[in-house]
Structure formats: structure tokens, C-alpha cells
Amino acid sequence: EPSRPIDRAYFSHKLNRAALRYELAVAIESGYIVWVNGPFPAGTWADLSIVRRSLVHFLHRNEHYIADGGYRDGNQWSMTPSGRGSYRDRQMGVVRSRHETINARLKGWKILSAVFRHPLEKHSISFRAVANIVQLGLQTDRPAFQVHYDEREFAR
């Protein structure tokens, strides 16, 4: 926590404590980490606000991201499940599941899941170091599970 009493800018209602948010993107086809952005104070920045500020400006024309409802932007840039249990929804679920598996690998490093007792400026360095180590694992001895990907199935 950057200060006492708890700074509301950092307070995460999800975790019930101070936290930082990072934006992480994983390529659908390769399963590799292709984007890391942050940190953002959890109490100030919602997921959708972060993605609107950054990731969408780097997407190519006709490129979208698959995410859960917290990132729903009226389908301008996001692709989110319709909730009807269609084949397309199930495929998006598999893609998101692989992303959660990679998130779990990141969280497995205690420096990211425990209280960070160093200057706040060093958190970003630590996060990116862990992301690089996880990426090396994805590319060598611990690849993420593959997903069936056919761009036509995700076309609008």
C-alpha cells in the first residue's frame, strides 16, 4: 500500500486491499504474451478504461480482442460471449481459459501475489521480469495448450 491510511486510488474491491492492475494480451494463434501494460492503481482504473486508453490504439484495422464482460465496449473493439452457449461462445471460452492459465503462471510467482514491500516504481520492473520468464517457458518447456483457431469463426 503506497500510504496509510489506505489510498482509495489503490483499493481493489475485488481483493479488498490495495492493488495494481496490469493489462496483458495473449495471441490467440500462438499462445504467446504479446502485450504488457501498467501498472494502474486498481481503485482508479477499471479494466475497460485501461484497454480504451492503450491496447485499442495498437490493434490493426479489423482486429479485435476476446475478453469477458468487464471489457465489453459495445463490440467496437471487443468480442465477448453472447451468453447463448453457441459454438463461437465456447471457442471464446477456450481462448479465455488459456489466458487464465497464463495469468495463473504469473500469479505463481510470490512477488506478484504477496505484499510488495519495495518502492512502487519497482513493481513494474518485477512484473515485466516475471512476464518475460513466463514467456520463455511458453516458448520452450511449458507451452500453453493449443486452441483451435479459425479466423472465420470469429469474424463479425
Side-chain angles (χ1 to χ4, degrees):
E1 295 174 0
S3 61
R4 292 279 188 188
I6 295 174
D7 185 342
R8 297 175 118 198
Y10 290 88
F11 187 76
S12 166
H13 292 283
K14 178 181 176 182
L15 302 174
N16 202 30
R17 62 185 165 132
L20 294 169
R21 291 181 191 267
Y22 285 87
E23 181 180 47
L24 184 83
V26 175
I28 295 172
E29 198 165 351
S30 67
Y32 293 161
I33 298 169
V34 295
W35 178 265
V36 175
N37 188 26
F40 297 90
T44 306
W45 289 89
D47 293 336
L48 185 56
S49 298
I50 294 170
V51 79
R52 282 181 175 164
R53 177 183 181 195
S54 52
L55 179 64
V56 298
H57 300 288
F58 291 90
L59 294 175
H60 293 280
R61 192 171 186 260
N62 296 323
E63 192 173 31
H64 299 85
Y65 61 86
I66 296 173
D68 61 20
Y71 291 86
R72 186 172 287 132
D73 68 354
N75 293 331
Q76 180 179 2
W77 297 103
S78 69
M79 295 177 70
T80 56
S82 66
R84 293 189 286 266
S86 66
Y87 176 77
R88 184 173 184 244
D89 280 2
R90 290 191 302 275
Q91 287 305 105
M92 280 192 253
V94 172
V95 169
R96 288 177 26 234
S97 176
R98 180 179 58 191
H99 194 305
E100 290 302 324
T101 300
I102 294 169
N103 286 347
R105 291 185 189 185
L106 291 165
K107 291 175 184 176
W109 289 80
K110 295 301 178 196
I111 194 165
L112 299 181
S113 60
V115 174
F116 193 78
R117 301 191 185 279
H118 307 284
L120 189 58
E121 304 79 47
K122 291 188 177 185
H123 197 277
S124 177
I125 295 168
S126 301
F127 185 89
R128 283 169 170 71
V130 169
N132 278 304
I133 293 167
V134 169
Q135 177 68 14
L136 286 170
L138 292 169
Q139 293 175 319
T140 57
D141 62 327
R142 294 189 63 215
F145 64 87
Q146 291 298 305
V147 299
H148 168 75
Y149 174 74
D150 184 342
E151 202 167 294
R152 295 169 295 186
E153 293 172 3
F154 294 103
R156 293 182 184 263

